[in-house]
Amino acid sequence: MRLGLELGYLTKGSPDPVALAERAEAVGFDSVWVSEAWGSDGVSLLAWIGARTERVALGTAILPIGSRTPALLAQTAATLDMLSGGRLILGLGVSGPQVMEGWHGVPFAKPVTRTRETVEVIRGILRRERKLEYDGESIRLPMPDGTGLGKPLKLMLRPHRAEIPIYLASIGPQNTALTAETADGWLPFLYSPDQAADVWGPALAAGAASRKLPAPLDIAPMVDCALGSDLFRLRDQLRPGIALYVGGMGARRRNFYNQLACRYGYEAAAKTIQDLYLDGKKDDAAAAVPDGLVDEICLVGPEARIAERMAAYREAGVTTLIVSPPVDEEGNPAPDGLDALRRACS
């Protein structure tokens, strides 16, 4: 099982993740990943990190589909991959209606269809086998109802690799099946290795039945981590992040993460967390996150306990484990945390 480091976004408390990326490379992590929502731009951040590292793979987890055209995503991938010497992993996801419609002004319509067509267009552009023409349901190129002056074009840049890996973030059954069919890797979040077979097994199997890619799907969940001896206080460091997603990442009637918590069997807790969060009681929402849910979807505790949980991820079929920088009981970076994670994964 390979080990990746999720560096997240630029924040006031984390204004430059390069030192962490350099340390991850030095201790033997295989990849580093950056995020994008409505704050820092993932592409700029990843280029900044790529210029200061040499070996580690560079992943986007994720760039929201719809925030950029498929052609621009392909151009970005080709550019970053060339500048980094073939280290890019292009992680994509649909995000949600709150972000896409509220921030980007892009309709959140037919996300599964849009994902499939985006992946097809990107791969076609990178292969440069012909000029770009695509007649899909959500993507039509050249644009049919514009000035009439659009014409098929071919990517000017010859990519370092024509087959840049594309990973998809998905948790719903339809998008997960699509991921297993079409993607090089899968980026689930709030992933429980204990329930993976029941929650995602049917969708993964359905997609795999139609898969034509030669390599197997890289299963690469993103996992938050708190490292130390005081299990109760460590859990408290992780609860607010879980409450944000289960309670506030989406509308009351359309929150994919809340629905996932329900699929895990935490229906009552998920409703309570969402009600409190949307009422502005974020601290109470965090306090309502059950210990069992924290333990299922996070790495929490001393190094030996984290090693045991990593074994559970490996047994569930995980091939890349993407871990956030571990914090201690006070919420500060855990001393030698990356070294401890590397040892635990060995």
Side-chain angles (χ1 to χ4, degrees), residues 326-342:
V327 297
D328 63 14
E329 290 90 344
E330 303 297 331
N332 299 316
D336 301 320
L338 298 188
D339 302 74
L341 290 178
R342 180 68 269 177

Side-chain angles (χ1 to χ4, degrees), residues 3 29 225 306 310 323-324 326 337-345:
L3 196 59
F29 278 62
C225 179
I306 285 178
M310 282 188 172
V323 184
S324 66
L338 298 188
D339 302 74
L341 290 178
R342 180 68 269 177
R343 290 192 299 269
C345 192

Side-chain angles (χ1 to χ4, degrees), residues 9 12 20 79 84 92 98 107 129 148 177 182 200 210 218 222 240 243 255 257 266 274 318 343:
Y9 322 97
K12 184 177 180 180
L20 271 173
T79 304
S84 66
L92 304 172
Q98 193 174 40
E129 295 171 346
T182 66
W200 286 295
S210 302
D218 183 15
M222 295 174 284
N255 180 325
Y257 305 102
Y266 294 95
Q274 186 178 64
V318 171
R343 290 192 299 269

Side-chain angles (χ1 to χ4, degrees), residues 9-311:
Y9 322 97
L10 292 185
T11 65
K12 184 177 180 180
S14 178
D16 189 344
V18 164
L20 271 173
E22 291 175 329
R23 183 60 187 163
E25 184 172 66
V27 302
F29 278 62
D30 293 276
S31 56
V32 294
W33 302 75
V34 301
S35 303
E36 181 178 294
W38 56 94
S40 56
D41 158 46
V43 174
S44 302
L45 181 56
L46 196 62
W48 184 256
I49 293 167
R52 297 280 296 275
T53 54
E54 298 178 356
R55 175 196 59 81
V56 71
L58 307 167
T60 58
I62 57 161
L63 297 182
I65 290 173
S67 65
R68 300 163 177 85
T69 67
L72 181 56
L73 286 168
Q75 289 176 253
T76 298
T79 304
L80 285 173
D81 198 56
M82 177 170 286
L83 291 173
S84 66
R87 291 191 282 149
L88 180 70
I89 301 172
L90 182 61
L92 304 172
V94 297
S95 186
Q98 193 174 40
V99 175
M100 299 316 299
E101 296 182 354
W103 184 249
H104 292 290
V106 176
F108 191 79
K110 299 184 177 179
V112 176
T113 298
R114 179 101 189 166
T115 300
R116 179 186 293 277
E117 295 184 356
T118 297
V119 171
E120 290 176 353
V121 170
I122 291 171
R123 287 198 170 126
I125 289 173
L126 294 175
R127 289 169 183 155
R128 296 185 77 252
E129 295 171 346
R130 61 184 64 88
K131 292 181 178 180
L132 176 60
E133 293 184 88
Y134 191 87
D135 187 19
E137 185 177 339
S138 63
I139 301 171
R140 300 181 69 189
L141 298 166
M143 186 177 179
D145 52 357
T147 63
L149 300 177
K151 65 178 183 179
L153 299 170
K154 183 186 288 189
L155 182 67
M156 294 170 62
L157 176 67
R158 290 187 177 273
H160 182 80
R161 293 181 295 173
E163 301 293 339
I164 295 172
I166 297 177
Y167 285 37
L168 295 177
S170 56
I171 54 177
Q174 288 183 295
N175 235 358
T176 299
L178 176 68
T179 299
E181 176 189 348
T182 66
D184 297 285
W186 177 39
L187 297 166
F189 186 52
L190 305 186
Y191 177 95
S192 167
D194 308 312
Q195 302 196 53
D198 292 333
V199 172
W200 286 295
L204 290 171
S210 302
R211 185 177 179 85
K212 294 182 173 58
L213 296 177
L217 182 72
D218 183 15
I219 299 177
M222 295 174 284
V223 184
D224 287 335
C225 179
L227 176 65
S229 58
D230 191 333
L231 193 57
F232 299 100
R233 292 178 65 196
L234 291 171
R235 287 191 185 110
D236 286 344
Q237 300 304 325
L238 300 174
R239 293 186 213 274
I242 299 171
L244 167 64
Y245 280 88
V246 174
M249 195 61 76
R252 188 182 299 275
R253 59 188 173 84
R254 196 164 189 179
N255 180 325
F256 306 121
Y257 305 102
N258 188 281
Q259 294 167 9
L260 179 60
C262 292
R263 290 164 69 191
Y264 286 157
Y266 294 95
E267 294 93 343
K271 183 180 186 306
T272 298
I273 294 165
Q274 186 178 64
D275 288 343
L276 289 168
Y277 202 97
L278 295 181
D279 286 342
K281 301 175 182 178
K282 296 181 181 179
D283 291 342
D284 292 338
V289 176
D291 289 352
L293 181 58
V294 178
D295 290 345
E296 274 197 53
I297 64 176
C298 301
L299 295 172
V300 56
E303 185 176 328
R305 189 176 192 269
I306 285 178
E308 291 178 2
R309 287 302 292 166
M310 282 188 172

